[in-house]
Amino acid sequence: MFNLFGRSKPQSNLPAPTALQQQRHKQIETLKTFNQNVCELRRDVEYRVTCSINNVTISLNIQLPPEFPKDRPIVVVSPPLRHPWVNEQMVVTGCPGINSFSVHTDLGRVIRTIIDEFKNNPPQILPPVSAGGQLPYPSHPPQYMGASSPYPTTSYPSSTSSYMPQVPMPTLPSTSTTTTPTPRPEIRVQGNFSPVPFKYKMPDIPESFDEVNSLSVADMKELHDNETKVVDLFSSLPQCQQLYQDRDKLNDATEELARQNLDKQPMLELKKKELIEKVEEQNELRRMFDKSSQRQNDLMDQFKPAMIQANLKVAAQQAEEESDVIAEDFLEGKTEIDEFLQKFMEKKSAVPYPPC
């Protein structure tokens, strides 16, 4: 600190980043270099990369343990899906790049490999609700790590609860484990048509026909030689007549059902348009949420005690340098003593000195 008999400038007490921290930052940069849609959930700890597979958005949640990159990262996939590289807890366990991860492996290339694998071999998206009525994908990270594992479980900062309301997960109605056969629906049409069963039942066919048994040998021979009479005979049978009537009813019911489907087409187009608008609205809300999350993380980092102390040290050093210039001007006779005391004390009292 400057005094009238000499000067000395304060030295910074901020520790230099370790080699492990430098490697960690380098790995994070490769993640942003080789992939798009990278969102920082917690600085240097958790990131999310999204990709689109067959019009389905898949998120890769990347968790970096404390000793990363000496310890391999943890990649959790959502929504729930089935793929040879993903286990039942939605953790990527079949990727060779993750299983053999080291300090010389590029994290960005490994995540890019997982995305390429999903594009070349699309995973099967699981239904959103399981048989027990509960969500198949847990609302918290899976507890797949034991007590001796070096990988930490995901724990979000407590400050997030101050600005995000805690909405309870809705409980879906549970379904019975034993499935009961569902009766086949019937096709019902408007008008004078009777209900037509979903599965048509053929009329009973007897083993012999009385109309044929009563014919003489000459009549049988005539039928044998004349195919037209055979067709006429069997067409007049009650069973064939029943078939013709049922066929006409089915034709009429099909035509009426087709007309009803055409009448519903405008409503279907309207619902489709509304669905597209809702999807676009959801995407916009998702982008706003990611932007707000990024802003919140930046503010948290900005107002950390270590960051405030560093900024305070910089401001104190700057004020010290400016006071040195004022003192030099006074010693050289460029300023009066009253002006010197006013400016010098103003600079000295502007920023308090941080503790060493």
Side-chain angles (χ1 to χ4, degrees):
M1 187 175 86
F2 176 85
N3 52 51
L4 296 178
F5 304 97
R7 72 180 72 134
S8 62
K9 296 186 178 180
Q11 297 180 354
S12 174
N13 295 328
L14 295 178
T18 63
L20 184 63
Q21 290 176 342
Q22 294 178 355
Q23 293 176 353
R24 188 186 192 95
H25 294 160
K26 182 179 178 181
Q27 292 286 351
I28 294 174
E29 290 300 324
T30 63
L31 177 65
K32 299 177 181 179
T33 301
F34 290 98
N35 300 274
Q36 300 178 350
N37 303 325
V38 179
C39 178
E40 183 181 66
L41 302 181
R42 288 192 297 159
R43 184 179 294 274
D44 298 341
V45 176
E46 190 172 2
Y47 294 84
R48 181 176 66 238
V49 179
T50 58
C51 61
S52 180
I53 308 296
N54 294 336
N55 298 326
V56 177
T57 300
I58 297 179
S59 299
L60 303 179
N61 191 286
I62 306 157
Q63 304 170 16
L64 307 181
E67 296 299 321
F68 176 84
K70 289 184 179 180
D71 295 336
R72 61 185 181 182
I74 303 170
V75 182
V76 182
V77 184
S78 64
L81 52 83
R82 182 178 290 110
H83 190 274
W85 282 15
V86 182
N87 63 9
E88 295 180 355
Q89 286 76 29
M90 300 299 114
V91 179
V92 177
T93 57
C95 178
I98 292 183
N99 296 335
S100 61
F101 195 89
S102 65
V103 294
H104 304 292
T105 307
D106 288 338
L107 176 63
R109 294 181 184 273
V110 173
I111 300 302
R112 184 76 254 174
T113 301
I114 297 176
I115 295 176
D116 293 340
E117 170 64 19
F118 285 172
K119 290 183 178 180
N120 296 331
N121 300 303
Q124 178 185 358
I125 305 299
L126 299 179
V129 180
S130 62
Q134 300 294 332
L135 297 177
Y137 190 64
S139 57
H140 54 80
Q143 300 297 331
Y144 53 87
M145 292 164 284
S148 61
S149 175
Y151 305 125
T153 57
T154 303
S155 59
Y156 294 91
S158 59
S159 60
T160 56
S161 61
S162 60
Y163 76 99
M164 293 183 64
Q166 300 297 325
V167 181
M169 186 66 66
T171 304
L172 301 178
S174 59
T175 57
S176 177
T177 55
T178 59
T179 58
T180 57
T182 304
R184 293 183 176 272
E186 292 185 351
I187 302 176
R188 298 185 179 275
V189 297
Q190 298 178 354
N192 298 324
F193 307 102
S194 59
V196 180
F198 182 79
K199 185 177 179 181
Y200 180 73
K201 182 180 179 181
M202 292 288 294
D204 296 333
I205 307 296
E207 296 181 357
S208 61
F209 298 94
D210 297 337
E211 292 81 353
V212 179
N213 293 335
S214 61
L215 296 178
S216 62
V217 176
D219 294 335
M220 294 291 294
K221 184 177 179 181
E222 183 179 359
L223 288 175
H224 182 271
D225 296 337
N226 193 339
E227 185 178 355
T228 303
K229 290 188 176 182
V230 175
V231 174
D232 294 339
L233 175 62
F234 280 92
S235 299
S236 62
L237 295 176
Q239 292 81 4
C240 290
Q241 293 295 326
Q242 183 64 37
L243 285 175
Y244 294 151
Q245 294 177 6
D246 295 341
R247 181 193 61 184
D248 294 339
K249 291 182 179 179
L250 288 173
N251 288 338
D252 295 340
T254 303
E255 292 178 359
E256 180 64 22
L257 185 60
R259 284 191 291 268
Q260 293 181 9
N261 290 337
L262 291 176
D263 294 339
K264 294 180 180 180
Q265 185 174 1
M267 181 183 64
L268 178 62
E269 294 294 335
L270 179 60
K271 295 297 183 181
K272 181 179 179 181
K273 182 179 179 181
E274 293 178 354
L275 177 61
I276 295 176
E277 293 177 352
K278 292 296 183 181
V279 171
E280 293 177 353
E281 181 181 356
Q282 187 268 343
N283 293 335
E284 181 64 25
L285 292 176
R286 183 59 178 267
R287 287 190 291 266
M288 293 175 59
F289 171 77
D290 292 340
K291 185 177 180 180
S292 300
S293 298
Q294 180 65 34
R295 175 62 177 167
Q296 190 260 350
N297 291 333
D298 294 340
L299 291 176
M300 289 178 59
D301 294 335
Q302 182 179 356
F303 292 102
K304 283 182 178 178
M307 182 64 66
I308 296 176
Q309 184 181 15
N311 294 334
L312 189 60
K313 287 182 178 180
V314 173
Q317 185 176 359
Q318 184 179 0
E320 183 70 20
E321 293 176 354
E322 293 177 356
S323 64
D324 290 348
V325 175
I326 296 174
E328 290 178 357
D329 292 342
F330 172 71
L331 293 177
E332 294 175 358
K334 296 181 180 180
T335 58
E336 298 294 336
I337 186 170
D338 295 336
E339 183 181 358
F340 162 72
L341 291 176
Q342 180 182 0
K343 292 183 179 180
F344 188 81
M345 296 306 296
E346 180 182 352
K347 291 297 180 181
K348 287 298 183 179
S349 61
V351 180
Y353 292 98
C356 296

